[in-house]
Amino acid sequence: MSTPSEKEIKRANELGKLISYHNDRYHLLDSPEISDAEYDALFRELVDLEERYPELRAPDSPTLRVGAAPLSEFPVAPHSEPMLGLENATDEAELLDFERRTRKFLGEAGEIRYECEPKFDGLAVELTYEDGVLTRAATRGDGLVGEDVTTNLRTLPTIPLMLRAPYPSLVDVRGEVVMLLKDFKELNDEQDERGLPPFANPRNAAAGSVRQLDSKVTAKRKLTFIGYGIGRLVGFEFSSQLESMEAMVEWGFLPNDYRVVLSSIVEVAGYCADIERQREDFAYEIDGCVIKVDDRTLQERLGNKARSPRWAIAYKFPPMQARTRVENILPSVGRTGAVTPVAELTPVNVGGVTVSRATLHNMDEVLRKDIRIGDKVIVQRAGDVIPEVVRAIKEERTGEEIEFRMVDHCPVCGAKVTRPEGEVVYRCEGLACPAQLRGRLRHFVSRRAMDVEGVGEKLIDQLVEQGMVKDIADLFTLTEEELSGMERMGQKSAKNVVTALEEAKTRELGHFINALGIRHVGEATAANLAATFKTLEVLMGASEEALLSIEDIGPQVASSIISFFTDEKNIETIEKLISLGLSPSSPVAHAGGQSLGGATFVLTGTLSAMTREEAKETIKRLGGKVSSSVSSKTSYLVAGDSPGSKVKKAEEAGVEIISEEQFLQLVNSSPSNTEPQTAENVKKPPSQQKLF
Ligand code: IVH
């Protein structure tokens, strides 16, 4: 066993401080000073040092924040002082009652000051600090015994591992772990992307994240701790609740901006009403206010009942959940073509807002929650999020409830509705579907698609609103007269738009395929399809086999292409486009030779004569294809400076490896490349190059 040198001890100490400082800049102040890579390097250096010399790991080392090996269960964590609950008040009268009881108990006629705070809707936890060091973090559990979640809670940037001095020799800091609404939204988006069910609300997400046996999962979830009270306290004294809250901020906890001290219960009622009005502006969910007698001596005199203290009360807001009935379930088509099941409800007041529709997210969710037409359900609102159906009250079923089936044709346009493989969302494939027309039009005219200048979002909105454009083909029927009548459109701009549309009719096939907006077919796949099939007619009749033989096209993409080109509505729109003069050009046929036709290139390393993007463009323009990884379908690997592991892969796969020079020769000898390549212009810096 070796011992660390003086220098190593000093460095470990310094690293700990540096990393904690940058953690705070990043997580608490939202203003990082160093790059992620620089941060990672510091972190790695400390991990290395601590692995070599475990004695160097400080009790507040930032490396403790990343989680440890998964547990099979949580150790039990008995609370030294019970974590009590709160009695509830739901209106002003009940608050006045609380004051009457308090005064009676104390025999007090004078002023009583109340410390008031929002009631955070999360998971209650207790953090124990001994000599300033976090030694245990426990959930509330049943109030007497919780679960030891120390490793998990150490990963929260808002929980200090070590208190800032001066601190008591022993203190239990109590508070709530919440998930901010923005972090909740982000987490559910990720769940959705991964095909996992969403969390019902931020509280469930927070609780689920804290109670993870694998602390590495907790470390990835964004959780926030907000302190609201103190349990055991040795070596310190506070005369008021307010004073203890202020001390918590000095020790390093987040401040609570909405905290006030008021001297009459009428003012307290006003505060509760104010907070309730602002409820939806909070960054996290709150479900009420907590009112505490501020004076610690009075608190002690009041003492506790069996389950709650006499010195505090919760003023509860009306729940953001309510009970109602599902009248019907209807498919709703969004701008991207996603078909979402939406529940039509018997209107119900949820936290002050009448709700008559609620999202069911997707078909998987309808089945998982087993929600049927006619069911009694719980609906919920959160922040400005769309109301959703949380669950069905199955005990109250009559047997008359009807299961919802996803439609196979779009309720708006009648095109096919399909569920692309591996996705949870059903989609309308209709090219002319009004529900998604705007999005499609925007994509169609965009630079990397048909590149129609002068047709912006504003114009598209007007054209759709006035019913002048019902599908992408209608764009080509627009006349100068019609266009010049639109808002902010002069005669000249109208003329330009018509000219731009005329020019677009002969855009390259690859651009046109991209412009169609077929799911999973982006620019690169579109270029590959154009290079392979050369005309739209051939592509439209391509078999699955033919599609699968193309580099980068797997079963999911092939099935999406076939489905697109077999949809009657889509065929109709394409025929309309052709009848209006659309005639996409094929790069190879147009250039008059095979050139790179059919050859697939993979690029690696740095090219000196051009950027990678330029090389890709050139290959595609000459009818070749570009792929990102080497396979047996690769024709050439172009190896620039400092090539990567692709060289080895190419050797193994027997793929021809060519230098940049050889590549340039190849493209320059291509019959479709009209401008000759000279040694001279190759040497020029990229910005001045006129390579091809
Ligand atoms: S003080 C002795 N303050 O509400 C009572 N509790 O029903 C100490 N809660 O599970 C509680 N926000 O986790 C207090 N600002 C706040 C709170 C708060 C949320 C929770 C607490 C407890 C429940 C009590």
Side-chain angles (χ1 to χ4, degrees):
M1 278 287 279
S2 58
T3 45
S5 67
E6 272 299 308
K7 216 172 128 199
E8 283 166 327
I9 298 170
K10 226 176 126 201
R11 180 63 180 159
N13 220 319
E14 179 184 41
L15 283 167
K17 293 217 173 69
L18 270 173
I19 296 167
S20 298
Y21 171 79
H22 290 300
N23 273 345
D24 287 354
R25 302 256 4 148
Y26 187 90
H27 292 290
L28 304 183
L29 304 173
D30 223 1
S31 122
E33 279 174 6
I34 57 173
S35 71
D36 288 359
E38 285 167 306
Y39 176 87
D40 289 345
L42 293 177
F43 200 89
R44 209 45 265 160
E45 191 185 342
L46 183 58
V47 169
D48 283 351
L49 272 171
E50 290 179 352
E51 272 172 8
R52 259 185 296 143
Y53 313 109
E55 68 269 36
L56 283 187
R57 173 169 284 172
D60 63 340
S61 169
T63 61
L64 291 168
R65 289 205 186 273
V66 292
L71 302 173
S72 54
E73 60 179 294
F74 294 110
V76 290
H79 298 291
S80 308
E81 284 178 13
M83 287 184 78
L84 300 175
L86 289 170
E87 245 175 57
N88 289 336
T90 49
D91 55 27
E92 193 172 335
E94 287 177 2
L95 283 177
L96 296 177
D97 255 359
F98 165 69
E99 173 164 81
R100 217 167 294 134
R101 286 197 304 270
T102 311
R103 285 191 182 284
K104 196 166 161 211
F105 193 93
L106 293 170
E108 175 68 63
E111 185 187 83
I112 300 179
R113 289 155 61 84
Y114 298 101
E115 195 257 3
C116 310
E117 320 162 16
K119 186 168 186 300
F120 314 108
D121 198 6
L123 181 75
V125 300
E126 178 183 76
L127 312 171
T128 302
Y129 289 86
E130 294 174 68
D131 293 323
V133 176
L134 175 67
T135 50
R136 192 186 81 169
T139 61
R140 174 174 182 235
D142 63 4
L144 297 174
V145 180
E147 288 169 317
D148 185 327
V149 289
T150 313
T151 318
N152 289 2
L153 288 194
R154 274 199 179 120
T155 66
L156 270 62
T158 43
I159 294 186
L161 298 180
M162 174 118 204
L163 300 181
R164 270 203 298 262
Y167 45 74
S169 55
L170 173 72
V171 62
D172 293 327
V173 173
R174 292 174 171 181
E176 203 89 351
V177 173
V178 298
M179 188 175 280
L180 303 187
L181 288 169
K182 71 173 171 44
D183 296 332
F184 172 69
K185 256 182 145 169
E186 199 180 288
L187 174 64
N188 266 358
D189 285 349
E190 266 169 37
Q191 291 284 107
D192 194 33
E193 265 165 37
R194 289 204 236 131
L196 297 170
F199 288 93
N201 52 52
R203 175 167 31 87
N204 284 10
S209 305
V210 168
R211 301 189 62 259
Q212 274 289 333
L213 288 166
D214 184 352
S215 51
K216 296 230 159 46
V217 177
T218 313
K220 285 195 201 112
R221 301 275 171 82
K222 294 188 180 145
L223 297 167
T224 303
F225 174 83
I226 313 174
Y228 58 60
I230 300 253
R232 290 174 300 171
L233 180 69
V234 178
F236 247 60
E237 259 187 56
F238 297 120
S239 63
S240 69
Q241 179 73 23
L242 179 68
E243 214 175 73
S244 64
M245 303 291 269
E246 281 169 349
M248 275 162 43
V249 177
E250 271 151 33
W251 295 336
F253 291 95
L254 279 185
N256 174 6
D257 301 333
Y258 299 91
R259 194 188 57 208
V260 294
V261 175
L262 302 169
S263 45
S264 82
I265 200 76
V266 176
E267 282 178 78
V268 169
Y271 167 86
C272 293
D274 274 352
I275 296 285
E276 184 168 350
R277 261 192 301 277
Q278 296 173 48
R279 179 179 190 178
E280 298 194 21
D281 302 333
F282 274 70
Y284 41 83
E285 287 208 321
I286 58 171
D287 57 349
C289 298
V290 182
I291 294 99
K292 306 169 188 179
V293 170
D294 190 44
D295 189 311
R296 290 285 276 191
T297 323
L298 292 187
Q299 282 188 3
E300 268 155 39
R301 276 173 57 198
L302 284 159
N304 302 328
K305 293 200 279 186
R307 284 158 198 242
S308 54
R310 279 193 200 89
W311 48 265
I313 192 160
Y315 175 85
K316 295 271 279 186
F317 297 152
M320 291 293 252
Q321 287 196 339
R323 223 184 99 107
T324 185
R325 181 173 175 274
V326 175
E327 303 287 346
N328 203 354
I329 300 179
L330 295 175
S332 153
V333 192
R335 203 168 48 82
T336 59
V339 185
T340 312
V342 172
E344 307 244 294
L345 309 165
T346 311
V348 63
N349 185 312
V350 188
V353 173
T354 304
V355 171
S356 51
R357 282 157 65 90
T359 180
L360 290 162
H361 297 293
N362 56 55
M363 211 42 212
D364 275 11
E365 282 293 291
V366 176
L367 296 175
R368 190 176 67 85
K369 293 179 178 165
D370 185 20
I371 288 163
R372 305 179 188 178
I373 300 164
D375 263 341
K376 305 269 174 15
V377 290
I378 302 293
V379 286
Q380 151 178 299
R381 283 193 319 117
D384 54 359
V385 183
I386 313 166
E388 62 167 0
V389 177
V390 183
R391 64 182 176 89
I393 307 169
K394 292 185 190 149
E395 315 81 84
E396 294 188 19
R397 276 193 179 149
T398 61
E400 308 264 293
E401 294 75 16
I402 305 163
E403 283 178 39
F404 170 71
R405 278 173 180 279
M406 185 43 96
V407 286
D408 46 21
H409 285 90
C410 173
V412 181
C413 75
K416 256 197 293 184
V417 166
T418 56
R419 177 184 188 158
E421 229 181 275
E423 291 186 21
V424 282
V425 172
Y426 281 77
R427 285 186 197 273
C428 160
E429 293 191 357
L431 205 48
C433 181
Q436 39 176 323
L437 186 57
R438 282 165 217 248
R440 279 194 181 279
L441 286 170
R442 273 181 218 150
H443 173 70
F444 188 79
V445 299
S446 68
R447 187 164 302 266
R448 308 200 77 106
M450 294 295 261
D451 192 15
V452 187
E453 256 190 54
V455 183
E457 284 192 20
K458 289 260 154 54
L459 180 59
I460 290 176
D461 285 352
Q462 289 181 64
L463 292 170
V464 173
E465 266 156 35
Q466 299 183 21
M468 289 166 72
V469 169
K470 295 201 171 64
D471 62 21
I472 51 176
D474 283 345
L475 279 176
F476 295 94
T477 65
L478 295 170
T479 61
E480 263 178 60
E481 289 69 46
E482 281 173 325
L483 283 165
S484 57
M486 314 297 292
E487 242 173 71
R488 279 196 264 160
M489 260 284 160
Q491 194 73 40
K492 188 145 175 264
S493 333
K495 191 176 163 124
N496 289 345
V497 168
V498 172
T499 315
L501 282 163
E502 198 54 39
E503 268 174 21
K505 286 181 179 173
T506 50
R507 280 284 177 273
E508 256 175 27
L509 180 58
H511 286 255
F512 176 67
I513 298 169
N514 180 26
L516 288 175
I518 306 169
R519 265 194 82 64
H520 301 303
V521 177
E523 217 180 329
T525 310
N528 279 350
L529 288 169
T532 308
F533 296 105
K534 303 198 173 62
T535 71
L536 188 57
E537 293 71 25
V538 180
L539 168 64
M540 287 174 78
S543 67
E544 189 177 355
E545 236 184 342
L547 289 167
L548 285 173
S549 71
I550 299 174
E551 184 87 16
D552 288 343
I553 293 191
Q556 198 179 354
V557 185
S559 113
S560 166
I561 296 169
I562 290 186
S563 177
F564 184 92
F565 286 120
T566 47
D567 186 275
E568 265 177 45
K569 291 262 176 197
N570 291 349
I571 297 175
E572 219 175 88
T573 309
I574 292 173
E575 279 170 357
K576 192 164 148 193
L577 279 165
I578 293 170
S579 75
L580 286 166
L582 190 107
S583 165
S585 60
S586 152
V588 178
H590 169 72
Q594 273 303 299
S595 62
L596 304 181
T600 300
F601 289 76
V602 174
L603 304 169
T604 183
T606 318
L607 304 179
S608 55
M610 65 187 94
T611 65
R612 239 180 221 223
E613 273 319 300
E614 285 166 337
K616 282 186 191 167
E617 277 293 313
T618 308
I619 296 168
K620 282 189 229 159
R621 193 164 47 79
L622 298 176
K625 288 171 270 183
V626 184
S627 168
S628 54
S629 59
V630 174
S631 77
S632 58
K633 289 180 192 171
T634 312
S635 320
Y636 301 100
L637 174 72
V638 182
D641 258 5
S642 335
S645 60
K646 286 176 186 161
V647 171
K648 195 158 160 254
K649 282 212 184 104
E651 280 166 358
E652 282 162 9
V655 168
E656 189 175 343
I657 303 171
I658 58 173
S659 65
E660 181 177 356
E661 211 169 302
Q662 286 170 307
F663 169 66
L664 290 175
Q665 276 168 7
L666 197 67
V667 291
N668 287 323
S669 64
S670 139
S672 47
N673 206 8
T674 45
E675 252 191 55
Q677 176 75 49
T678 65
E680 205 183 60
N681 59 16
V682 167
K683 297 266 159 50
K684 286 183 191 159
S687 57
Q688 304 168 26
Q689 266 169 36
K690 251 186 79 195
L691 268 179
F692 303 111

